[in-house]
Amino acid sequence: MSQKHPIPHVPGFSAEELVSKIGFCEQLKGGVIMDVVNAEQARIAEEAGACAVMALERVPADIRKQGGVARASDPEMITAIQAAVSIPVMAKVRIGHFVEAQVLEALEVDCIDESEVLTPADEQFHVDKRRFKTPFVCGCRDLGEALRRIHEGAAMIRTKGEAGTGNVVEAVRHMRALWAGIRELRGQDVKFLERKAVEHRVPYELVAWVAESQKLPVPNFSAGGIATPADAALMLQLGAEAVFVGSGIFKSSDPQRRAKAIVRATTHFNDPKVLAEVSKGLGEPMPGLEVASLPPEQRLASRGW
Amino acid sequence: MNGHDERPVGVLALQGDFADHEDALAAFGVATRQVRVAADLHGLAGLVLPGGESTTMLKLLDVEGLWQPLGDSLRSGIPVLATCAGMILLAERVEHPNQRSFGLLPITVVRNGYGRQYHSGTFPLRSDVLPAGTTGTFIRAPRISQVRPGADCEVLAWRDQDPVLVRCGAMLAAGFHPELQPGHPVTAMWVAMVRTARGAALAH
């Protein structure tokens, strides 16, 4: 087990807590985590086979459209969703907003997403996730960003993609970059790994573990722009262990049906026959956005570092 | 051992931490096969129902038409290891909320019986059969509220006063996660059951 969960000792953070946090995230593998904005959507998601829901006030597509500061959700709404379903309930906090995280922990949400989809609260520091008993998931665009978040105590990583676009291109870019970063370490000598540790701004031990194991020490999920069953299967074939689907479900013309189809596509990501079957007649997907046309300040993935 | 029996054990792979179970079994030299469709159930030496979300698994069992064939395999008498969500699927009675199950294990379980993830953690186990100092990681774990009196079911470990590891015939079920345990003592116990069953099968 020490082989599997190699995060260097961190003050106030026991190895057992680590197994419990990462272990929670392991249970979500092969599943779909769906964004929901109320109890009714949460029930639809659970009924469709979601392995967890992400409670938030506005899905990323609406945050884009409406603008303004996006903050953590109203506790009342989170509590209502917790009461409505038996699957795990996650919720988002702004990058660096450790008090929003304290509030979510007090509500006993099962997992906290420190998310670039909300407006960042701190331009210097992410939340010190080791101080919390609740597992955190954080976004990344490449290996360095993933390792920095893991070193801060994230129990799960998701590649960021570009949320609210219905366009999977950024999710693919980030997943490929992450694996390229991992593969680059394979078989390298100590000097090279030491240099990488400096470059990624994380302890050498973490880089050395990834070099040896050729994977992240925590589950590696995908998010941001997944709109179809084939998108979900694409991310799993590229090495994601589960997917987050945000606007893609409840912004489509037939959320129930699409949700079920994406769940099934995630289970059978390697079976094109099943993928063909579940992709039939789903109605309109969410309207997509061309990412290249987004001005830099509207790109959510560039939030965080 | 039993080199003549090449049958793998099946690991239900609809959703959950099936890969960790496969890693743990591989450490004992046991070949595994992921089970996603009915055809995957043929010729198995045993079955693992892993942790994950039991509601999700129930939905997918229906969608895949697996409820009946998986139930048949589970009832065939091959060794079964059921953990966390898997134990919920196997239990005779499920509460909080009430939900459907295969009903093969004479126990009542309460879903999330120890609370939400905030209350998850690693706790000491009391057991005469596991190595001293063995702990179990409980993650939104089901609580066994009752083992049906008079049932042919042996409690092998407790967390405080609660049974957390039971063996009923060829079925071994845990509310915690053997695949996350250092050294995998529960997995080892189940592998021994599989090898004994294989030996018996070969003797016939």
Side-chain angles (χ1 to χ4, degrees), chain A residues 27 29 86 133 264 267, chain B residues 15-16 36 111 118 140:
Chain A
Q27 308 310 312
K29 284 183 177 176
S86 65
K133 195 160 183 279
R264 203 156 171 236
T267 296
Chain B
Q15 188 273 321
R36 289 191 176 82
R111 285 191 58 198
Y118 184 79
R140 289 169 40 90

Side-chain angles (χ1 to χ4, degrees), chain B residues 25-90:
Chain B
L25 288 162
F28 294 104
V30 176
T32 58
R33 181 199 296 159
Q34 297 185 353
V35 173
R36 289 191 176 82
V37 294
D40 298 331
L41 290 165
H42 294 305
L44 295 177
L47 254 172
V48 178
L49 305 184
E53 278 306 312
S54 64
T55 22
T56 304
M57 292 184 193
L58 275 179
K59 308 286 174 206
L60 285 164
L61 284 172
D62 281 341
V63 172
E64 306 304 333
L66 263 177
W67 178 264
Q68 189 63 39
L70 179 62
D72 292 344
S73 290
L74 293 169
R75 281 183 291 268
S76 72
I78 57 172
V80 175
L81 174 63
T83 66
C84 196
M87 181 174 87
I88 297 171
L89 292 180
L90 221 49

Side-chain angles (χ1 to χ4, degrees), chain B residues 8 26 30 36 57-58 70 85 115-116 124 134 136 141 143 148-149 168 198 201:
Chain B
V30 176
R36 289 191 176 82
M57 292 184 193
L58 275 179
L70 179 62
R116 301 181 190 280
T134 298
R143 175 185 240 140
R148 176 156 47 78
C168 315
R198 274 177 175 172

